[in-house]
Each structure stands twice: as structure tokens, then as C-alpha cells.
Amino acid sequence: MGETKFSRATEILYQGAYVKGRAERPETPPIYLTTAFNVEDLDDLLSVYEVQGYTYNRTRNPNRNTLAELITYLENGEESIIFSSGMGAISTSMLALLDTGDHLLSDGTLYGETIDLIAKVLPKYGIEITFVDFTDPDAVKNAVKPNTKMLYTETVSNPMITVVDIETVAEIAHANNALLVVDNTFTTSRVIRPLEKGADISINSLTKFANGHSDAVAGALTGSRELVKKIYDLQVLLGSTIDGFTAWLVQRGMRTMDLRVQKQLDNANKLAQALEADPRVIKVHHPSIATHPQHELAKQLFENGYCGMLSFEMPDDRTKINAFMRKLNTAHYAMTLGGYRTSLSHPVSSSHYSIPEAERQKMGITFGLMRVSIGIEDPDDLIADFRQALDVFD
Ligand code: PLP
């Protein structure tokens, strides 16, 4: 507002709306909770367009852009985009990069809702789909078709914690002029940067280990400028973006991602070894275990550890499993993962609830299988707590 004085009803809308004085470099970034940005006139608007400045929140927001910059650095890519969820990143990338008549070759053991998206939504757009076991590179090679445009997998599968050889799968994709898209949610860029292994797009549900505080839902993808631009153009139309506050929360969480995730990786190794040594536990699924089917591959592929997720099998006894869950003082059941506190999930009752029993058995998912997302607790406390809860099986 200039010198002109208006009535109170008008002034109340304008007074104090713009920051005065030197406030350009706050210690933490400000939150841009605004739907739009003002310009002076049409020439000013053009100059904003020229520098890819900010006009409307759905197209660009400073908190999203700075978060994207951080993720681009961590994932070692050219460009990133932030989404309203991990599913937003997954669905938008598939819809942007696949056309009617294209074939998507997907791993068969993905996050349940990614499977639903591929199996139920993509065929409606005339996209052909095939699921194969991506831990078997020959099966992947044999399933490629002339119209295969994308291979899709996760670094580590849920809930059996198997590991995919990203480098080999990337070679298969590129030998057939297809793209490789990898979901890095379970491992994060602390452990592996899929783009460095040949993937074209790396996807992260930031809701999980990346933000790590279980207080924000968001997703991201990273890749080459060209691919990311293609996906961004569709994202603007689909509107799968987040507001400045959520982006701000995630960047705050991610400042400590490496510290948290490193502790989670170390704790996971320790808990996996302790459970493996416990006679009440039937089997532990974690790449740190020497008998894990991809133990050697994981050692060669991953840095700083393996994965903050593990699963383990208890006897198929509902009453005792309930008692075990109630007896635990640290880990509680939560329909998420990657938070700073250890949490449990029961695949038969959640992620694989709708899968027929016979198929679940084939995948190795027994009633006694419990998935654990490891937190940053003292590992000795965690191990002691799991041990005393397992006493219900004595
Ligand atoms: N990818 C993986 C591996 C996941 O586990 C999840 C959710 O649990 C997602 C993607 C989806 O993330 P969001 O819940 O942020 O959409």
C-alpha cells in the first residue's frame, strides 16, 4: 500500500502484508503458505515467466522447489519433483511416460497399492502389463516385449526384504530401449542412489524414512531434466502437489535423514542378528543375514548398511502373536514405516490382506510373519524388549 489512506475495512487486508527490513536470510527457510504471488504489471509477469519464478502454487512453490533441490543432490540426479504422496509420484510418472499400446514390465512383489495401480488403472488406458520376479534377471529378460517401454521395481521388496540387482535390470531395460523406474523408499539415498546404478527415475515416498517423523505425507521423483519435465507437465494438470508447509516439514525432517537412517540401518542389523539367534523365531528376512538369498548382492550394491526394514516369522498362532504385540513396550503397530520409532506391520492383515492364502503362502507370507520398521532407539533396549515379548512363545 502506498501513501493513499483507505478505510479500515480495506487497510486490514493490506497492512503488514509485506516483510520490511532485512529478512532475506533467516536461519531456517520461511514457509510460503500462499496460493499465488503478486506481480507489478504485465511486463513484470513476463519477467517472472522468463526466470521460471513463482506465480501460482500448483505450478511452483519455493518450499517444494528447495526440497526438490535437496533431493536432487541426495539422489545425484539432474532434477526432482515433489508430489502429494509416494503414490502421486508413482502414478504420475507411469501416466506421463507410458502411452496406449505400451507394455510395462513390473516386479511382482511391489508395495500393494502400486500393484493395484498397475493391475487396475493402467489397463484402462490400454497399457499392457506383466508381473515377473525381478530377483530373477532371466525371467525379466524373457518377459520383455517389443513394446516394453518401462521396467518398474523397488530396491527392496515388502515384506520378504529381497533385493533387486538394479544394474543388471537397467542393462536389460536399456538394451530394449525401455526406461527403468526404481522405488527407493525402503533404502533411501543413504544406501543406494538408483540413478548411479543405471535407473532412469528414482522414486521416494518421503512419508517414510526420508522425512522420518511420521507427520507428513509426500513423495518425490528424480531423473534427467528431460524426463522430469515430461512428468512435471502432467503433474501440473493432475494437481498432485503439496502445500508449502508440508514441503517445509519434509525438508526439516530430511536435514537429519542421514543421521537417523544410519542409526536405523545399524539397529536393523543388530535386531536381525538377535532375532536370528532366538530359538522362538522361525526365520528372519534381512539382507544382513548370511543366508539371505541376496546377501552378497546387497553387500556389493548397498552402502552404509542394508535396510531399516526386516521381517521375521513366528509360529502361526494368532493368540500368541496378539500377546507378543501387547507385551512389546517399544514397537507398536502402525500402518506406516520409516519413522524414528520402531513399528510393526502384519502383512497378512494389511499389505497382503486381499491376496488369496495360497498365493500368499507361495510368496512365503505366513500368518506368523511380522514386518518391523526399525527406529532410532537404543539397540540394546530394542533387542531386550523383543526378547521379553517373545517369551509368550515359551
Ligand atoms: N512405495 C513404497 C515402497 C511404500 O512402502 C509406500 C507406502 O507405504 C509407497 C510407495 C507409497 O507412499 P505414500 O504412502 O507416501 O503414497
Side-chain angles (χ1 to χ4, degrees):
M1 255 230 146
E3 291 305 302
T4 320
K5 285 280 172 262
F6 292 95
S7 66
R8 184 181 167 100
T10 303
E11 290 291 341
I12 201 172
L13 308 178
Y14 293 89
Q15 285 295 334
Y18 299 101
V19 177
K20 294 191 185 119
R22 292 200 53 186
E24 314 91 62
R25 299 190 58 188
E27 176 64 5
T28 62
I31 306 172
Y32 290 84
L33 273 187
T34 180
T35 54
F37 293 81
N38 296 152
V39 290
E40 297 296 329
D41 58 18
L42 299 180
D43 293 342
D44 192 26
L45 179 61
L46 278 186
S47 70
V48 171
Y49 288 159
E50 271 161 24
V51 296
Q52 284 203 320
Y54 298 99
T55 53
Y56 184 55
N57 186 61
R58 179 161 41 73
T59 50
R60 283 164 62 75
N61 168 282
N63 296 107
R64 283 207 304 274
N65 278 44
T66 46
L67 174 60
E69 252 176 62
L70 171 63
I71 292 168
T72 300
Y73 167 76
L74 293 172
E75 287 282 335
N76 201 7
E78 282 181 8
E79 202 97 25
S80 301
I81 342 175
I82 307 303
F83 290 86
S84 50
S85 63
M87 286 311 298
I90 295 164
S91 56
T92 311
S93 59
M94 286 180 182
L95 293 172
L97 300 177
L98 293 168
D99 288 319
T100 302
D102 287 349
H103 175 236
L104 167 69
L105 178 54
S106 170
D107 196 347
T109 56
L110 303 172
Y111 172 59
E113 282 168 2
T114 308
I115 295 265
D116 284 353
L117 170 76
I118 294 171
K120 296 177 185 165
V121 178
L122 297 189
K124 288 206 294 187
Y125 298 95
I127 295 161
E128 241 187 279
I129 55 166
T130 306
F131 289 107
V132 287
D133 176 3
F134 267 50
T135 60
D136 178 355
D138 286 335
V140 177
K141 212 180 280 178
N142 292 336
V144 172
K145 298 181 180 191
N147 58 340
T148 303
K149 288 284 152 56
M150 183 188 287
L151 272 64
Y152 187 93
T153 190
E154 294 171 358
T155 48
V156 170
S157 76
N158 173 33
M160 303 312 285
I161 322 291
T162 53
V163 180
V164 170
D165 184 348
I166 303 295
E167 281 171 327
T168 303
V169 171
E171 277 166 25
I172 298 170
H174 298 154
N176 292 280
N177 291 320
L179 299 170
L180 174 64
V181 179
V182 176
D183 183 332
N184 195 18
T185 301
F186 270 30
T187 26
T188 81
S189 55
R190 178 78 189 157
V191 171
I192 182 170
R193 290 163 301 283
L195 302 178
E196 292 175 359
K197 307 289 179 196
D200 298 283
I201 298 280
S202 176
I203 290 184
N204 283 277
S205 165
L206 304 175
T207 318
K208 315 297 175 193
F209 287 99
N211 177 45
H213 289 70
S214 308
D215 54 9
V217 174
L221 65 78
T222 310
S224 68
R225 221 156 261 128
E226 190 192 343
L227 284 179
V228 169
K229 165 84 171 75
K230 209 168 167 187
I231 301 166
Y232 168 76
D233 287 347
L234 183 65
Q235 183 199 31
V236 169
L237 303 182
L238 297 180
S240 49
T241 52
I242 46 172
D243 59 278
F245 180 53
T246 309
W248 184 91
L249 271 180
V250 175
Q251 68 78 30
R252 183 176 67 162
M254 286 189 68
R255 299 295 168 198
T256 55
M257 184 183 92
D258 275 17
L259 300 176
R260 266 187 294 103
V261 170
Q262 190 57 60
K263 178 80 173 163
Q264 288 165 309
L265 296 169
D266 296 344
N267 280 1
N269 287 355
K270 288 179 182 156
L271 185 62
Q273 302 302 329
L275 291 174
E276 175 78 359
D278 195 302
R280 284 89 47 99
V281 170
I282 298 168
K283 195 167 172 54
V284 179
H285 305 280
H286 191 257
S288 66
I289 305 279
T291 52
H292 182 281
Q294 291 92 32
H295 174 64
E296 289 305 322
L297 170 67
K299 270 209 299 201
Q300 167 229 312
L301 206 57
F302 296 160
E303 290 169 19
N304 301 311
Y306 296 93
C307 180
M309 305 292 297
L310 63 81
S311 59
F312 69 101
E313 285 169 43
M314 295 175 277
D316 286 355
D317 182 328
R318 188 184 187 95
T319 309
K320 287 190 175 169
I321 290 171
N322 278 339
F324 163 80
M325 289 171 74
R326 281 194 303 266
K327 209 166 186 306
L328 274 175
N329 297 304
T330 53
H332 290 99
Y333 195 85
M335 283 272 193
T336 189
L337 61 101
Y340 54 79
R341 302 198 308 191
T342 297
S343 63
L344 304 175
S345 157
H346 185 239
V348 168
S349 309
S350 58
S351 54
H352 293 71
Y353 187 63
S354 58
I355 295 178
E357 167 73 15
E359 228 174 288
R360 271 200 311 247
Q361 290 290 346
K362 256 195 265 163
M363 294 164 128
I365 301 172
T366 60
F367 189 84
L369 187 74
M370 191 66 76
R371 191 190 76 182
V372 189
S373 167
I374 318 295
I376 59 171
E377 297 90 345
D378 183 305
D380 293 337
D381 288 344
L382 214 48
I383 290 167
D385 195 30
F386 271 75
R387 280 193 181 133
Q388 65 79 30
L390 283 166
D391 287 350
V392 301
F393 291 101
D394 287 343

